[in-house]
Amino acid sequence: MKESKKTVSREIGLEIGHIVGKGLFQLDHLHYGLWKKGLEPSILNLHIAQDEYCKFIISHIPAEVKSILDVGCGAGAFSKRLVDLGYKVDCVCPTEYQNKIVEKLLGETSEIFKCKFEDIQTSKKYDMIQFCESFQYIDLDRVLDIAASLLNPGGYMLICDFFKKCSDACAIKGGQKLDKFLDLLGKSSFKIIEDIDITAETAPNIDLVDRTTKEVIVPLAGAVERFFQSQHPIVLKLIKWKYRKKIAKVEKKYLTDEKSGKNFTQYKTYRLFVCRKVK
Ligand SMILES: C[S@@+](CC[C@H](N)C(=O)[O-])C[C@H]1O[C@@H](n2cnc3c(N)ncnc32)[C@H](O)[C@@H]1O
């Protein structure tokens, strides 16, 4: 099936994020970092904050878990870490670019389902299904039933992701609606056994991205624009006219002051949920 433009641009965004993050800042992951008190929110510290995020999740994996399905495994660094800790890990990811990296990293040790979670076809069962910042991308009306069908009796679902607290418009996109999620969870075969709010420790990522956009990406784009203006002024004028709506949209999305940790805290809630399949 043809991917929607929104999905393709999101996946390309993650690809660019991984290339730049890995190439320039040794970042292995595509998730937010967990900024512990005292850790200065700077791009050079992001790998430390991402490592803290992984350690935080690992410390909440129930003791009896041996097999894990990592949904939306990104570039696979977290899956690899779990494998190295002795877990049997399989992955699901619909993105070709990421899957090539994951295959190289995990080799024969893991099965990689190269599809959306919603389309997974397998008779395998797992002790735990984890969604590390991937839950927001899955169809909320289907995710709980599919997760339950892939779990052993008494298995766990670990979700670490942000949710929308309310339906008010917010410049920071993403996240399932928390009240809808909790409502569906209440009617499902899962019971929450842990619910931890890490909004304050993850919000500094938003300020970091905003600062990087304004201090690095915008000046770079300005320099590229000046170069084209000096070499090909008419072509540049035509491009700017043709894409004027898109340019205005991007400017509105990235250049307002609404993308801040403060607004993230107001509109979103970043949570770790560990849920157990009880029925
Ligand atoms: C923000 S990244 C997080 C990656 C990784 N879990 C990490 O913590 O670094 C979101 C991931 O979800 C994947 N994804 C998006 N839609 C998905 C879907 N419907 N089913 C499974 N994975 C999906 C993306 O390809 C990407 O790997």
Side-chain angles (χ1 to χ4, degrees):
M1 200 174 38
K2 212 167 166 248
E3 292 291 335
S4 73
K5 280 187 182 173
K6 198 174 157 195
T7 306
V8 172
S9 74
R10 188 186 67 215
E11 293 300 333
I12 291 175
L14 287 172
E15 184 172 334
I16 293 171
H18 180 252
I19 294 168
V20 174
K22 179 89 183 152
L24 297 182
F25 305 107
Q26 296 174 1
L27 301 176
D28 288 320
H29 304 284
L30 294 173
H31 53 236
Y32 285 25
L34 195 79
W35 299 90
K36 287 198 155 177
K37 272 208 177 83
L39 183 64
E40 162 74 14
S42 97
I43 191 84
L44 296 177
N45 284 336
L46 184 52
H47 71 106
I48 302 174
Q50 287 189 332
D51 187 54
E52 289 296 342
Y53 180 98
C54 294
K55 285 200 259 181
F56 169 72
I57 290 178
I58 290 166
S59 70
H60 288 277
I61 298 177
E64 62 267 44
V65 168
K66 291 194 170 51
S67 59
I68 298 174
L69 179 65
D70 187 1
V71 181
C73 59
F78 193 34
S79 317
K80 173 79 169 75
R81 190 158 170 173
L82 294 171
V83 168
D84 292 344
L85 285 170
Y87 294 105
K88 173 87 191 80
V89 183
D90 286 346
C91 303
V92 197
C93 184
T95 313
E96 205 186 325
Y97 166 80
Q98 292 168 21
N99 284 332
K100 280 189 187 148
I101 300 173
V102 179
E103 267 177 331
K104 252 197 201 154
L105 203 61
L106 300 182
E108 301 290 293
T109 55
S110 305
E111 179 166 359
I112 297 155
F113 299 99
K114 296 172 186 161
C115 61
K116 287 179 167 189
F117 179 67
E118 296 89 322
D119 299 331
I120 193 167
Q121 301 277 337
T122 182
S123 56
K124 283 187 173 178
K125 305 277 181 208
Y126 299 88
D127 298 334
M128 190 179 95
I129 299 184
Q130 75 170 25
F131 300 86
C132 292
E133 233 170 83
S134 55
F135 193 74
Q136 58 184 283
Y137 302 119
I138 318 284
D139 181 346
L140 186 54
D141 290 314
R142 298 175 57 205
V143 63
L144 300 178
D145 284 345
I146 301 173
S149 73
L150 292 166
L151 282 172
N152 286 318
Y156 297 90
M157 177 173 68
L158 183 153
I159 301 165
C160 200
D161 206 340
F162 63 84
F163 292 80
K164 286 180 196 143
K165 279 202 276 202
C166 54
S167 51
D168 294 353
C170 170
I172 305 160
K173 300 292 169 215
Q176 305 282 9
K177 288 181 183 155
L178 181 68
D179 50 2
K180 180 172 175 188
F181 166 66
L182 292 175
D183 184 43
L184 289 172
L185 199 66
K187 296 175 191 150
S188 76
S189 48
F190 290 100
K191 181 175 171 246
I192 297 177
I193 57 167
E194 273 200 284
D195 173 5
I196 302 175
D197 191 328
I198 54 167
T199 314
E201 292 93 332
T202 50
N205 281 277
I206 303 292
D207 291 321
L208 191 59
V209 171
D210 186 52
R211 222 171 40 234
T212 309
T213 306
K214 288 176 181 156
E215 291 175 8
V216 180
I217 298 171
V218 172
L220 271 179
V224 171
E225 185 183 342
R226 283 203 315 283
F227 170 78
F228 274 100
Q229 180 66 38
S230 69
Q231 307 291 316
H232 310 285
I234 296 180
V235 177
L236 179 68
K237 204 171 175 178
L238 277 173
I239 291 174
K240 281 174 88 171
W241 180 81
K242 181 160 176 23
Y243 293 104
R244 62 195 182 285
K245 283 190 189 147
K246 279 215 164 97
I247 293 169
K249 212 171 147 187
V250 168
E251 282 177 352
K252 188 167 181 288
K253 190 170 172 190
Y254 293 104
L255 298 183
T256 59
D257 286 330
E258 289 166 42
K259 288 212 159 193
S260 64
K262 187 168 165 267
N263 272 356
F264 184 75
T265 309
Q266 183 179 343
Y267 293 104
K268 313 279 175 174
T269 173
Y270 204 125
R271 305 280 266 272
L272 170 87
F273 286 107
V274 182
C275 308
R276 186 156 204 195
K277 183 178 153 181
V278 287
K279 284 183 237 161

